[in-house]
Amino acid sequence: MLTQRPRGTTDLLPGEVERWQAAEETIRSVFRRYHYGEIRTPVFEHTELFARGVGESTDIVSKEMYTFLDRGERSLTLRPEGTAGVVRAYVENKLYGNPGLTKLYYIEAMFRYEKPQKGRERQFHQYGCEVLGADHPAVDAEVITLNVHLLRTLGLQDLHVELNSVGCGVCRPAHKARMIAALTPHRHELCRDCQQRLDRNPLRIFDCKNEHCQAVLRTSGAPTILEALCDDCRAHFSSVREMLESIGTAYEVNDRLVRGLDYYTRTAWEITVPSYGTVAGGGRYNGLVAMIGGPETPGIGFAGGMERALMLLAEQGRDLRAPTGLDVFVTVADEAGEPMAMRLLQDLRAAGVTADRDYLGRSLKAQFKAADREAAKFVAIIGETEVQQGSVSLKDLQSGEQVALPVSDIVSYLAEKVGVQS
Ligand SMILES: [Zn+2]
Ligand SMILES: [Zn+2]
């Protein structure tokens, strides 16, 4: 047990972690271009926030949360998703008092008790954003475009946007009544989950993976939510579509794409890759801020899994930036070289050059081997001779060329060779 990490967790080791850093940098730079600010919320929140903000009836809340009592007997939960915490912070810090839109993004660890499998961990990571304060369809079109832009900049290919509108508090109750009327005579033909959905939230029957339920939906004449939109929702949806077209963001309408909870309104989308599945998804949630106790505020956002995106990138043969090796490996030929070697190492690092050395007192040959293993670009050799002559021998490991330089020139020479701006 002591040497085994908990199920569903990962150690990110040097080598792999560079891929994550590159992905995170890309994600941050794209969000910055759209004028988003980063937010970091607590890893745990009051359980009630997720019960309300994610929804009691969801799998996340009913089956997958890491919930515990702290020493003061408060029920706390490790965050299973990003939106609830961000919206809570928006309300608590009164960000709605700021003029204009609030545009926030995050890249954070999330926790869900799920059966671990490839690409699905119990501690996993999501990037995502929330835009609060406007219902304008231009926001929807821009956020969807940003979602695609971000994945494309990471290097993902073959991305498809599936788009739908899930209506609002005006059109959804009428749609619900029509679904119940159409499906109740076929109740016994639905799967057990869908029989429950029929009572609580019939819209989510569109979500069922069961072929038979989908067939019942088709033959019963139950309308899709898209067919039942009120005039305002219909106008909003067609504006979103027009704006996506003027930006040049391709999409397909998928009228079976639903988000079942009451506070989800209007635009919903998923970004999918054929033969792989969904890589990110988002939607509008005009009811959420008020539901957790803030002022009526429209909102929209998306989220995607880091592990999933990185796995797909590798599958598509698109590796992120290769890990950078050492610029310089300083070999110490003998004890007399120690002071000069230590000084040189620090001067190199201060100048922005990546440098390391051998600390095990190994032979020069073994040190050269270590330099090779670390993929160092240069090897500096320092020993008694170098100290006496005030010069350092430098070997370029790619060309094999060797030069001796005055010790005072070595830092600026290497800084220029490895392209460091001082
Ligand atoms: Zn509506
Ligand atoms: Zn079903």
Side-chain angles (χ1 to χ4, degrees):
M1 284 294 270
L2 279 182
T3 55
Q4 208 165 39
R5 59 179 187 265
R7 266 191 102 191
T9 62
T10 310
D11 297 314
L12 280 179
L13 304 177
E16 173 65 5
V17 91
E18 284 80 359
R19 293 180 72 223
W20 281 71
Q21 288 169 340
E24 287 161 6
E25 269 168 42
T26 302
I27 290 168
R28 291 200 159 88
S29 84
V30 175
F31 276 127
R32 274 197 294 270
R33 274 184 258 174
Y34 287 74
H35 200 209
Y36 282 64
E38 183 173 354
I39 183 165
R40 299 185 186 187
T41 62
V43 169
F44 54 84
E45 299 269 1
H46 295 296
T47 301
E48 185 61 19
L49 175 68
F50 299 119
R52 297 267 230 112
V54 181
E56 306 260 17
S57 67
T58 58
D59 281 357
I60 296 179
V61 172
S62 62
K63 297 180 199 156
E64 297 167 359
M65 293 208 302
Y66 275 93
T67 298
F68 59 97
L69 290 180
D70 74 1
R71 289 170 188 274
E73 304 278 298
R74 298 169 199 90
S75 179
L76 300 172
T77 294
L78 302 184
R79 70 173 161 239
E81 58 89 58
T83 304
V86 172
V87 170
R88 194 266 313 135
Y90 173 81
V91 175
E92 182 168 355
N93 296 287
K94 299 191 171 57
L95 300 185
Y96 49 79
N98 297 340
L101 290 187
T102 303
K103 308 208 279 188
L104 302 166
Y105 78 89
Y106 57 84
I107 307 175
E108 286 186 311
M110 310 285 164
F111 306 84
R112 289 185 201 171
Y113 192 85
E114 287 187 279
K115 200 170 169 217
Q117 45 185 290
K118 197 167 181 272
R120 183 170 297 174
E121 303 289 348
R122 288 177 174 174
Q123 175 175 339
F124 62 104
H125 301 78
Q126 286 192 334
Y127 57 86
C129 68
E130 316 298 342
V131 181
L132 294 140
D135 187 43
H136 196 288
V139 176
D140 304 50
E142 199 183 279
V143 173
I144 294 167
T145 302
L146 161 58
N147 196 352
V148 178
H149 188 171
L150 198 146
L151 293 168
R152 206 171 273 156
T153 311
L154 278 177
L156 289 172
Q157 292 169 321
D158 214 1
L159 301 166
H160 294 253
V161 177
E162 299 187 19
L163 182 70
N164 198 16
S165 172
V166 296
C168 70
V170 173
C171 45
R172 235 178 6 224
H175 173 254
K176 184 175 175 178
R178 286 174 65 189
M179 279 195 80
I180 291 171
L183 289 171
T184 301
H186 304 277
R187 184 184 185 91
H188 59 281
E189 298 166 52
L190 295 168
C191 75
R192 188 172 304 181
D193 282 347
C194 283
Q195 293 187 15
Q196 282 186 1
R197 288 173 182 145
L198 188 57
D199 300 327
R200 280 198 236 150
N201 201 335
L203 186 59
R204 287 200 52 210
I205 297 176
F206 284 104
D207 242 354
C208 186
K209 303 280 178 282
N210 186 317
E211 290 285 333
H212 196 70
C213 294
Q214 292 304 320
V216 173
L217 266 179
R218 279 192 297 273
T219 53
S220 68
T224 64
I225 179 69
L226 207 50
E227 291 165 332
L229 292 182
C230 68
D231 290 345
D232 285 349
C233 286
R234 192 183 307 278
H236 191 271
F237 189 58
S238 71
S239 295
V240 172
R241 294 183 58 172
E242 275 165 30
M243 286 171 183
L244 283 172
E245 278 149 31
S246 32
I247 301 173
T249 301
Y251 67 89
E252 300 136 45
V253 172
N254 174 359
D255 60 6
R256 300 189 170 257
L257 181 73
V258 295
R259 320 199 99 203
L261 298 168
D262 284 345
Y263 54 79
Y264 284 118
T265 49
R266 299 190 166 162
T267 315
W269 72 94
E270 280 182 4
I271 301 193
T272 60
V273 172
S275 81
Y276 190 78
T278 306
V279 278
R284 185 166 270 295
Y285 48 79
N286 290 353
L288 181 57
V289 178
M291 206 198 59
I292 71 156
E296 261 329 309
T297 309
I300 183 169
F302 65 76
M306 291 288 292
E307 283 83 355
R308 220 171 144 68
L310 286 164
M311 206 165 83
L312 181 56
L313 271 173
E315 249 172 59
Q316 292 187 341
R318 312 270 301 188
D319 212 349
L320 294 160
R321 202 174 48 189
T324 45
L326 276 179
D327 293 326
V328 186
F329 192 94
V330 176
T331 62
V332 192
D334 47 50
E335 202 58 35
E338 273 294 339
M340 194 198 253
M342 289 307 284
R343 180 63 195 267
L344 177 64
L345 262 176
Q346 281 319 113
D347 288 350
L348 285 167
R349 291 163 176 165
V353 178
T354 309
D356 207 349
R357 59 163 288 184
D358 171 74
Y359 296 94
L360 303 174
R362 291 184 289 192
S363 71
L364 209 51
K365 193 178 161 199
Q367 293 186 48
F368 263 89
K369 253 193 199 157
D372 252 347
R373 201 169 49 237
E374 301 294 343
K377 298 186 186 94
F378 291 89
V379 172
I381 305 149
I382 300 179
E384 198 177 353
T385 324
E386 283 75 18
V387 174
Q388 277 167 5
Q389 295 172 353
S391 73
V392 173
S393 304
L394 205 60
K395 186 170 184 184
D396 182 329
L397 287 186
Q398 264 143 24
S399 66
E401 205 179 332
Q402 191 158 334
V403 290
L405 291 173
V407 71
S408 54
D409 293 353
I410 202 105
V411 172
S412 57
Y413 175 84
L414 281 170
E416 200 197 306
K417 280 281 184 189
V418 304
V420 175
Q421 315 284 332
S422 50

